[in-house]
Amino acid sequence: MPDSEIDPMVFLVSYPRSGQHFSQKLLENSSGRDEYCEYYNCWEKDCPAQKFPTRFRVPCYSGKRIQKNHDFEGDLPYAKQFRYAVLYRNPVLSIQSFYEWCLRNLKGVQIYKGQQKIVVPDSIDAWRVFAEQKAVYWRDFVQKWVLKNARANVGHFPYESLVSDTDEMRRFVKFCTPSVTDSRLQSAIDTQVTNLQSGNRSLRDAQSFRYPAPEIADKIREVTGPSFNRLYP
């Protein structure tokens, strides 16, 4: 029986900047197949979902087994026949990285003004608004997928462990792809570790951010409240 008939459909449900691309490469190297779908950027030729609103592209219409989802609106439904690999990270660090992603890709900072999304220039004030809004999102995301979700088909994978602990990498891949062979899994882990080391990457230091304002970091911790304290005591 082909592996694709053995392994489950998996949603990589991640708070932005919490290891989505690291996880994608780890799974691709483990399976040797392109199984990954970015539902809001459908690149699959002739996929009918390209014509659909993004909320109707879940699960993947092209049959991809792994689908990315940030659950931005908190409306990703739960279904017992799927698996959900949940990726999260220290909110101060993930929100800082999210802010920098906006500057690189949107040439500004995306914030909400009422119900409308707008892009504003980089500034300490933009960072302050962005940080508080994304802290609310982090709190709600973690409440839904981590703290209140102990189902067997929902796996929790903190970024800090996933990129530094080979046992955690192994647990992640086995959760998503139970049929993976030990040799393929070890090869994929070795590749990821080599890539991390060759890139001289290290865990983010909050003080190296462009706006190392302690009061904003404190505000993020205040907004995320008990959720932050339980996961990052």
Side-chain angles (χ1 to χ4, degrees), residues 190-222:
D190 291 344
T191 297
Q192 289 297 89
V193 170
T194 298
N195 289 342
L196 287 171
Q197 293 173 344
S198 64
N200 295 318
R201 296 183 182 182
S202 59
L203 294 179
R204 174 178 291 271
D205 176 6
Q207 296 307 310
S208 65
F209 182 61
R210 67 179 62 217
Y211 299 121
E215 73 277 7
I216 299 179
D218 289 343
K219 185 64 177 180
I220 292 174
R221 296 186 186 97
E222 177 188 335

Side-chain angles (χ1 to χ4, degrees), residues 91 95 135-136 138-139 219-229:
I95 292 170
V136 172
W138 189 95
R139 180 196 65 201
K219 185 64 177 180
I220 292 174
R221 296 186 186 97
E222 177 188 335
V223 172
T224 54
S227 302
F228 177 88
N229 294 332

Side-chain angles (χ1 to χ4, degrees), residues 136-191:
V136 172
Y137 166 33
W138 189 95
R139 180 196 65 201
D140 294 345
F141 179 93
V142 164
Q143 282 287 327
K144 176 181 177 180
W145 288 107
V146 182
L147 299 179
K148 294 183 178 180
N149 205 319
R151 298 179 175 99
N153 63 334
V154 179
H156 303 139
F157 301 95
Y159 172 87
E160 292 83 359
S161 299
L162 189 60
V163 300
S164 61
D165 185 341
T166 56
D167 286 340
E168 189 75 349
M169 296 180 202
R170 185 171 287 104
R171 183 174 76 89
F172 169 77
V173 174
K174 292 293 287 185
F175 176 84
C176 296
T177 311
S179 72
V180 67
T181 64
D182 290 342
S183 59
R184 268 202 170 276
L185 176 53
Q186 189 60 54
S187 176
I189 290 173
D190 291 344
T191 297

